[in-house]
């Protein structure tokens, strides 16, 4: 079985389309969405429609909840807050209903998926350090966890001492428990502006962090045309 695991789309329809086309090309059998469909980008409604059309498992992200008033945006930075307010106004009632229906964690036979972290998923904590990773390993009863939220593809291995990598090819299924951050479709922050997601092949025990070219400039122009902060367009083109 080949899984296409993607998240942090952030209203970037151009990036989402490119990722879905790549999944088709790569013979993905099942897609899974880790949340943050909206926030920052200019096409939240189209992105939600597209994810619903695929009919895949989809989790809630903090920006999804912010956009429907389920999460306090006082702790968001200025641009995120402005984007959340803009996004709220851009959603249709059916979008709000869909975002409100999303869960925090999904357990599949061999792995689990979450937006931010497995320790208190509803708190949207980050897994950025070995300390954070340790807390999520403690809460994980599967060999493998896919997560997002930081927009940086980073993998932790539950070795003693713990190890991590930013390699694109990740061996899994050799008994070492692993946390894989799948990166971000619509707003990468690892200085590579290409859209990012993961392909997990459980038959061969491998995960591949996959990058896809798309028209970043067009997505950035849409942000400006929508009246969203220009900084959000600039960061998109820089992959930051
Ligand atoms: Zn995000």
């Amino acid at each position: 079985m080949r899984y296409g695991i993607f998240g942090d789309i952030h209203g970037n329809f151009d990036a989402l389309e490119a990722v879905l086309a790549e999944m088709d090309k790569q013979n993905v059998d099942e897609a899974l969405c880790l949340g943050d469909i909206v926030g920052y980008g200019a096409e939240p409604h189209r992105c939600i429609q597209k994810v619903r059309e695929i009919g895949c498992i989809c989790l809630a992200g903090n920006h999804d909840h912010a956009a429907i008033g389920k999460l306090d945006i006082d702790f968001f930075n200025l641009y995120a807050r402005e984007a959340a307010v803009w996004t709220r106004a851009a959603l249709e009632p059916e979008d709000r209903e869909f975002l409100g229906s999303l869960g925090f964690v999904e357990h599949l036979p061999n792995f689990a998926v979450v937006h931010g972290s497995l320790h208190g998923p509803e708190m949207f904590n980050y897994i950025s350090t070995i300390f954070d990773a340790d807390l999520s390993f403690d809460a994980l009863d599967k060999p493998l966890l896919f997560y997002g939220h930081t927009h940086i593809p980073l993998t932790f291995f539950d070795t003693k001492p713990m190890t991590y990598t930013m390699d694109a090819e990740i061996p899994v299924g050799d008994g070492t428990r692993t946390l894989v951050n799948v990166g971000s479709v619509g707003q990468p922050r690892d200085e590579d502006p290409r859209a990012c997601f993961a392909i997990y092949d459980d038959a061969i025990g491998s995960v591949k962090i996959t990058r896809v070219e798309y028209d970043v400039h067009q997505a950035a122009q849409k942000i400006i045309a929508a009246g969203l902060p220009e900084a959000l367009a600039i960061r998109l083109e820089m992959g930051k």
Side-chain angles (χ1 to χ4, degrees), residues 7-10 34-40 61-64 115 126 148-151 183-184 187 189:
D8 293 290
I9 299 137
H10 286 291
L34 304 187
D36 270 5
I37 305 175
V38 306
Y40 299 127
N62 51 320
H63 287 263
D64 301 321
H115 181 68
Y126 291 89
H149 197 32
T150 65
H151 301 201
S184 167
Q187 197 197 70
R189 294 179 191 163

Side-chain angles (χ1 to χ4, degrees), residues 54-186:
I54 313 165
C56 60
I57 286 174
C58 183
L59 304 172
N62 51 320
H63 287 263
D64 301 321
H65 275 186
I68 56 169
K70 256 186 138 176
L71 187 81
D72 191 352
I73 57 170
D74 286 351
F75 298 105
F76 274 26
N77 69 47
L78 182 66
Y79 297 133
R81 211 180 320 150
E82 255 186 73
V85 171
W86 182 94
T87 302
R88 272 180 197 178
L91 294 183
E92 303 289 338
E94 53 165 344
D95 299 333
R96 280 190 273 277
E97 199 180 313
F98 175 72
L99 295 181
S101 73
L102 303 176
F104 293 104
V105 187
E106 195 75 40
H107 295 276
L108 288 98
N110 298 320
F111 63 95
V113 284
V114 70
H115 181 68
S117 77
L118 213 51
H119 53 288
E122 68 287 347
M123 304 290 292
F124 299 112
N125 291 321
Y126 291 89
I127 304 178
S128 307
T129 65
I130 282 176
F131 178 76
D132 307 326
D134 204 33
L135 293 174
S136 272
F137 274 127
D138 282 348
L140 179 65
D141 61 0
K142 298 274 156 62
L144 187 55
L145 173 74
F146 293 97
Y147 70 103
H149 197 32
T150 65
H151 301 201
I152 293 172
L154 172 66
T155 294
F156 292 92
F157 300 103
D158 193 17
T159 48
K160 301 263 181 291
M162 199 185 292
T163 45
Y164 55 89
T165 181
M166 283 188 79
D167 285 355
E169 305 272 353
I170 304 152
V172 293
D174 66 350
T176 306
R177 297 194 310 152
T178 311
L179 310 180
V180 180
N181 188 316
V182 303
S184 167
V185 170

